[in-house]
Amino acid sequence: MEEKIIGKIVNTFQLKGALKVTISTERPEERFKVGKKIFIKTEDEKIEHTIVSFRMSNPKVAIIKIDGIDDINKAEKYIDCDVVQEVNEEENSFFYDDLLSCEVITADKRVIGKVNKIIRMRNIDYLLVDNFYIPFQLDIFISSVDKEKKQIEITELAEETMK
């Protein structure tokens, strides 16, 4: 099991301690399912909580309620904290934090730049590399991803789209 960031708490919601979370996972309904365990990482500790309620506010933001937080004053101390979860990674499955700041290279090892941001549009993730958007589709635009070296190799087709 590996610990992965699945969101970031950006604000509170209403007076009963609900939290607004920006989502950094493709499957928020699975990751934030009622009854699931999550961890909130503060500056000096990692606190385990259970999801009590969950709903999507928009495609990038969820409203969650967790056990032990029942008013806005308790919730406010978690603003700007990461929400993490222990997950079993499947083969050829990547989390946003696996890809962010990866060096992007061509087949001949020429460096294109680093992944600055990941944007989801119409069910496809796009890697923002400098001023180029590269669709994150394995074997079509992405040849390989080396998590340890933090490198993503793109295909010739991806290179063509950048011209």
Side-chain angles (χ1 to χ4, degrees), residues 36-40 46-50 66-67 78:
K36 282 262 190 165
K37 301 279 185 213
I38 60 167
F39 297 92
I40 297 178
K46 183 172 82 169
I47 307 158
E48 184 175 335
H49 288 282
T50 302
I66 56 177
D67 67 319
Y78 292 130

Side-chain angles (χ1 to χ4, degrees), residues 28-39:
E29 292 81 9
E30 179 185 325
R31 303 283 177 222
F32 291 94
K33 189 176 181 177
V34 172
K36 282 262 190 165
K37 301 279 185 213
I38 60 167
F39 297 92

Side-chain angles (χ1 to χ4, degrees), residues 4-11 18-41 47 49-67 78 81-87 95-96:
K4 291 292 179 182
I5 297 171
I6 59 171
K8 183 176 192 74
I9 298 168
V10 292
N11 211 340
L19 301 165
K20 269 189 178 181
V21 179
T22 56
I23 301 299
S24 59
T25 177
E26 282 186 0
R27 299 181 294 232
E29 292 81 9
E30 179 185 325
R31 303 283 177 222
F32 291 94
K33 189 176 181 177
V34 172
K36 282 262 190 165
K37 301 279 185 213
I38 60 167
F39 297 92
I40 297 178
K41 277 188 141 174
I47 307 158
H49 288 282
T50 302
I51 302 287
V52 174
S53 70
F54 161 81
R55 73 175 174 85
M56 293 298 294
S57 174
N58 67 51
K60 302 211 183 276
V61 177
I63 307 295
I64 65 169
K65 184 93 176 72
I66 56 177
D67 67 319
Y78 292 130
C81 291
D82 287 329
V83 179
V84 298
Q85 193 172 63
E86 291 180 354
V87 297
F95 283 78
Y96 290 170

